[in-house]
Amino acid sequence: MSSRTSRGLVYERLPCEVLDIDAACEGGLDSDIALQNALYDEFPDRQHVERNLLRKVDLRMSILVLIYILNYIDRNNAAAARLRGFEDDLHLEGQQFNTILSILYVGYTLMQVPSNMYLNKIGRPSIYLPTCMAIWGLISILTGTTKGFLGAVCTRFFLGFVEAAFFPGALFLLSKWYKRRELGQRTAILSCGIMISNAFGSLLASAILDGMDGVMGLAAWRWLFYIEGSMTICVAICAIFILPDFPTTTTSCSWLTAEEQALAQLRMEEDVGVDDETECSKGEESGLKQAFSDRKVWWLALAMAILNVLLSFNAFFPTLSATLGYSSTVSLLLCSPPWLFATCVAFLVSRHSDATGERFGHITIPLLVGIAGFMMAMATMNTAVRYLSLFLMAQSYTAFVVYWAWISNSIPHPTSKRAVALAFINAFSSLGNIAGSYVWPKSWGPSYWNSYAICIGSGALCIIMSWIFRRHLVWLNQEIEAKKIEEGPKDFTYLL
């Protein structure tokens, strides 16, 4: 830890009469020892202060889960609308529905890196993220007004363009407040929003599609976009007053004491070994260059793209549920239990991953279980077996949850590099969503044998790439230990 940086942090954030490091140094103490003594004097009950800090931050960050739920509901409601006349009313033919799904990820891919760079520059996620949320809620409402293929494609493209700000921005915000061993569980809770949205989104869609058909002369699927988009805008307005900014943004931390705010910054410096604000002073261009010159970033981006091909079943889950032979309402209701199960599995596995500091095994096992689910669905059309397979497929999202924690841990600093890297990896991985949109054509149903085979191959390749990445991190850890070459503090090691 840099004593210069820490001295600046202490003097800036704490009452000046509390610490006198320079005086201690003049008295003969080493600056680092003087700093440690001063910090101990200021935080004699550090655990209590840290516990209060985390409790306050957790409470404010919890709204990110609700935002993510609505993010995915707005993204995936076209799949539910498909069951109640969306394709027929818009006169869609051939692969046009798949194009409507995939075009979202084109806008999503284009915007993520510049969005996170801008967020890092302004340092006000409490304003930026809710504003983007309100805009995508409005675009979702406009989707309900479309009359044909062209209108739907345009609204979906711009929906992805604006939604791109949220997930990488949320990951970046979390990484600014939580230490590496705390980040996995928080990332898991955030990512569980995907699974919760799939579970309760199906219930909400079922209620709207069943109860609003013909109201004011409008089709039920149009009301689906109107209602869910309006919910998003309402939550966005509330989020402006709840979401925190970065620990270094003084005006945003009136809800923290001076000691808590100083400790929030000190914790991050201790965890990665450098002061992010000092190290990223070269500017955003430096972060962009550092991210794109790091081979880990490209490898992780490719691995996540392949993982997203496997997870492409998510956008077609109501369609897969409909292959069981029940009505559209029942099919939507049957979507909920697998995702509730997946949410519980993801939370428990990610929590264990944090406790053990291990990532690879906690990614591989859910993928292997998911592959078993795909094989079961390929082997039979039996209703019970295929429904059980949906549970096994859904829990494979656990790998996605733990993978994002691994990514955040593997690119710890500086701030500008981490912001670009998280956004780029998420953007590049969206290519897997684009490809995955064409993995489930109607002509391959109801068995979808070819689709499941593609998912199995993607899962196997993702496991191999993850193993290679783990071996690379082992080598980096050995290099740090042997040569004292560090990308973080002297005690920094990559989590495996």
Side-chain angles (χ1 to χ4, degrees):
M1 180 170 58
S2 164
S3 56
R4 177 191 60 79
T5 300
S6 297
R7 186 183 292 117
L9 181 152
V10 169
Y11 281 139
E12 179 182 356
R13 297 302 175 194
L14 296 178
C16 59
E17 66 272 9
V18 174
L19 300 174
D20 193 353
I21 298 173
D22 291 328
C25 291
E26 290 171 1
L29 288 176
D30 176 83
S31 61
D32 285 335
I33 296 175
L35 174 65
Q36 292 173 9
N37 291 341
L39 290 174
Y40 179 78
D41 290 340
E42 174 57 28
F43 300 117
D45 191 10
R46 172 166 172 163
Q47 287 186 345
H48 176 72
V49 176
E50 196 162 16
R51 191 161 52 246
N52 286 340
L53 169 66
L54 288 176
R55 177 178 55 81
K56 291 179 180 180
V57 176
D58 285 342
L59 284 174
R60 287 183 173 264
M61 291 293 191
S62 62
I63 196 172
L64 290 175
V65 179
L66 179 58
I67 295 174
Y68 204 21
I69 290 172
L70 294 172
N71 178 276
Y72 251 77
I73 284 177
D74 289 332
R75 189 183 307 181
N76 291 338
N77 48 18
R82 187 187 196 187
L83 299 180
R84 294 297 291 267
F86 181 79
E87 284 183 290
D88 294 336
D89 289 354
L90 298 186
H91 311 292
L92 303 182
E93 300 174 351
Q95 296 289 325
Q96 288 184 333
F97 178 78
N98 303 79
T99 301
I100 287 174
L101 292 184
S102 65
I103 197 66
L104 179 143
Y105 295 103
V106 176
Y108 194 70
T109 301
L110 292 173
M111 191 58 184
Q112 291 187 60
V113 172
S115 174
N116 250 25
M117 291 176 66
Y118 181 68
L119 175 59
N120 183 48
K121 182 177 181 179
I122 64 172
R124 296 300 305 273
S126 66
I127 301 298
Y128 180 65
L129 295 181
T131 299
C132 292
M133 184 184 183
I135 294 172
W136 91 56
L138 177 61
I139 295 173
S140 182
I141 292 174
L142 293 176
T143 307
T145 68
T146 55
K147 304 295 183 183
F149 172 69
L150 181 60
V153 165
C154 290
T155 55
R156 293 284 293 181
F157 172 80
F158 286 108
L159 180 66
F161 195 82
V162 181
E163 279 195 351
F166 175 69
F167 188 64
L171 288 177
F172 184 45
L173 178 58
L174 290 176
S175 72
K176 294 282 283 184
W177 284 95
Y178 295 108
K179 298 169 74 170
R180 289 183 302 145
R181 285 185 176 268
E182 300 165 348
L183 195 59
Q185 186 175 349
R186 270 74 178 191
T187 303
I189 294 172
L190 171 65
S191 300
C192 282
I194 300 175
M195 292 166 276
I196 296 172
S197 73
N198 286 325
F200 292 101
S202 297
L203 297 175
L204 178 62
S206 176
I208 294 172
L209 293 175
D210 239 20
M212 299 299 292
D213 194 24
V215 175
M216 298 179 65
L218 298 174
W221 68 265
R222 295 188 185 276
W223 281 110
L224 182 67
F225 288 104
Y226 296 156
I227 293 174
E228 291 181 348
S230 299
M231 290 168 53
T232 298
I233 294 175
C234 291
V235 173
I237 295 172
C238 297
I240 294 175
F241 304 99
I242 299 174
L243 269 181
D245 287 322
F246 300 145
T248 53
T249 309
T250 307
T251 57
S252 67
C253 288
S254 58
W255 47 279
L256 293 177
T257 65
E259 292 82 2
E260 289 167 346
Q261 190 170 349
L263 183 58
Q265 297 181 57
L266 178 63
R267 279 163 33 87
M268 295 298 96
E269 188 175 339
E270 290 173 340
D271 194 45
V272 302
V274 291
D275 178 13
D276 277 346
E277 304 307 319
T278 300
E279 188 163 337
C280 73
S281 60
K282 296 179 181 179
E284 302 301 328
E285 294 78 14
S286 176
L288 188 68
K289 182 178 180 180
Q290 289 180 65
F292 287 150
S293 62
D294 189 340
R295 289 177 293 177
K296 298 195 302 294
V297 172
W298 290 93
W299 189 263
L300 290 168
L302 181 58
M304 287 298 293
I306 293 169
L307 178 59
N308 278 342
V309 174
L310 177 146
L311 298 176
S312 62
F313 67 85
N314 167 47
F316 296 87
F317 211 76
T319 300
L320 299 180
S321 178
T323 63
L324 301 177
Y326 298 102
S327 67
S328 60
T329 300
V330 174
S331 295
L332 285 171
L333 294 174
L334 289 174
C335 291
S336 293
W339 289 113
L340 291 174
F341 170 73
T343 302
C344 295
V345 172
F347 180 78
L348 293 174
V349 170
S350 61
R351 186 169 185 174
H352 187 264
S353 176
D354 266 6
T356 59
E358 200 278 341
R359 303 299 190 208
F360 172 72
H362 293 80
I363 291 169
T364 300
I365 293 175
L367 286 179
L368 291 174
V369 174
I371 288 173
F374 294 130
M375 289 180 173
M376 289 170 57
M378 292 172 68
T380 180
M381 290 298 293
N382 179 272
T383 300
V385 175
R386 284 177 74 87
Y387 190 53
L388 175 61
S389 73
L390 294 181
F391 283 80
L392 303 186
M393 293 179 209
Q395 67 78 46
S396 62
Y397 250 97
T398 301
F400 176 87
V401 171
V402 179
Y403 227 122
W404 273 113
W406 203 14
I407 290 169
S408 296
N409 298 152
S410 301
I411 310 170
H413 66 83
T415 296
S416 55
K417 176 185 175 181
R418 187 167 68 240
V420 173
L422 291 175
F424 173 73
I425 291 170
N426 198 43
F428 189 92
S429 68
S430 297
L431 298 177
N433 295 114
I434 295 173
S437 299
Y438 296 94
V439 169
W440 305 87
K442 269 189 173 181
S443 58
W444 288 359
S447 66
Y448 290 103
W449 196 96
N450 293 333
S451 306
Y452 291 130
I454 293 172
C455 291
I456 290 172
S458 299
L461 183 55
C462 184
I463 291 173
I464 293 171
M465 292 189 68
S466 301
W467 180 80
I468 294 173
F469 182 67
R470 183 183 185 278
R471 294 302 306 164
H472 178 63
L473 295 185
V474 169
W475 179 80
L476 289 178
N477 284 341
Q478 291 172 345
E479 187 179 64
I480 292 171
E481 182 68 24
K483 299 180 180 180
K484 306 300 182 183
I485 297 176
E486 56 188 54
E487 291 189 20
K490 293 180 181 179
D491 61 346
F492 176 87
T493 55
Y494 291 100
L495 299 183
L496 306 177

